[in-house]
Amino acid sequence: MRIEYKDLMEQLGVGHSLCAYETRPWFLHDPEQGIMCSAEVRVGPGSSDVEAEIQLLYDEDRDPELKPAIDDSQNDDSNDDEDGENKRAKRGPQMGPDGPEQIMIMRFVPNKEGLWQGAFLIVRGEIYHDKIGEWDKRGAAFFCDIIGALQMNEFPDIDDLIEEHLVDKRRGGRGRRGRVGKKGFKVEQKGMTMGMKG
């Protein structure tokens, strides 16, 4: 998509146009799970770019049964100090056993005409800007559903929202457009006029 700056802010759920270096955060802590979901939109120096990011941060005293699995391949000799302790566990202040988990990072930049367009979208370490059609619109919708849940004091079901917004249901297709394919409703043709906006 190529849109005006104010429209980009609206697409990302921000109620006003952010200035350079300004950030709009949302967060919700679930003490039972020992986890916090944090989302933010931030503007770079000189308003040269806009990033939307979602992270999960885990409480240090979280129940070990609830902690995410840590990739043991990262725990080789180079990560151990002279006492044999893992350096990743001693990186300084952090919210969880393995630091924050980045769920999404998406970046927008202005083009020569001054319109804003997507530069990349990465979700849970997987590149989506080369994978799905309309990735920038779908990434923005995913982001807005996350912050919508946070604003309603509900912890978002990230896996379900990834499935809803970022997984193509049709093989070989360029992706769903909105939620029409999911609902599968029939349009009442009687009395419709060409060019009407729904």
Side-chain angles (χ1 to χ4, degrees), residues 26 30 67 138 151 154 157 190 192:
W26 298 267
D30 183 339
K67 290 180 181 177
R138 292 166 70 176
Q151 289 174 320
E154 296 176 1
D157 189 325
K190 190 175 181 180
M192 287 189 69

Side-chain angles (χ1 to χ4, degrees), residues 27-30 34-38 55-58 95 155:
F27 59 90
L28 179 67
H29 182 251
D30 183 339
I35 187 172
M36 181 170 71
C37 183
S38 166
Q55 290 187 340
L56 296 181
L57 300 102
Y58 300 96
M95 290 293 292
F155 208 85

Side-chain angles (χ1 to χ4, degrees), residues 33 61-69:
Q33 294 187 69
D61 59 351
R62 188 172 189 234
D63 183 342
E65 295 294 318
L66 297 175
K67 290 180 181 177

Side-chain angles (χ1 to χ4, degrees), residues 43-152:
V43 181
S47 298
S48 58
D49 69 322
V50 171
E51 287 185 342
E53 183 177 36
I54 302 164
Q55 290 187 340
L56 296 181
L57 300 102
Y58 300 96
D59 293 352
E60 296 211 8
D61 59 351
R62 188 172 189 234
D63 183 342
E65 295 294 318
L66 297 175
K67 290 180 181 177
I70 297 172
D71 184 359
D72 287 334
S73 66
Q74 306 267 338
N75 295 331
D76 57 20
D77 292 339
S78 63
N79 286 326
D80 292 338
D81 62 17
E82 60 276 0
D83 297 325
E85 294 187 52
N86 191 273
K87 290 178 184 176
R88 288 160 41 126
K90 299 171 70 176
R91 287 186 298 193
Q94 60 187 34
M95 290 293 292
D98 201 34
E101 177 189 355
Q102 187 178 70
I103 299 299
M104 183 192 100
I105 182 76
M106 181 166 55
R107 184 172 186 238
F108 293 88
V109 294
N111 63 18
K112 292 178 182 178
E113 289 76 40
L115 297 177
W116 288 75
Q117 61 190 45
F120 63 78
L121 170 62
I122 300 171
V123 177
R124 284 197 162 146
E126 187 173 346
I127 293 172
Y128 277 84
H129 52 269
D130 289 337
K131 182 177 178 182
I132 60 173
E134 297 187 326
W135 61 267
D136 45 3
K137 287 183 183 179
R138 292 166 70 176
F142 170 74
F143 183 81
C144 282
D145 274 4
I146 295 283
I147 64 173
L150 299 180
Q151 289 174 320
M152 293 173 64

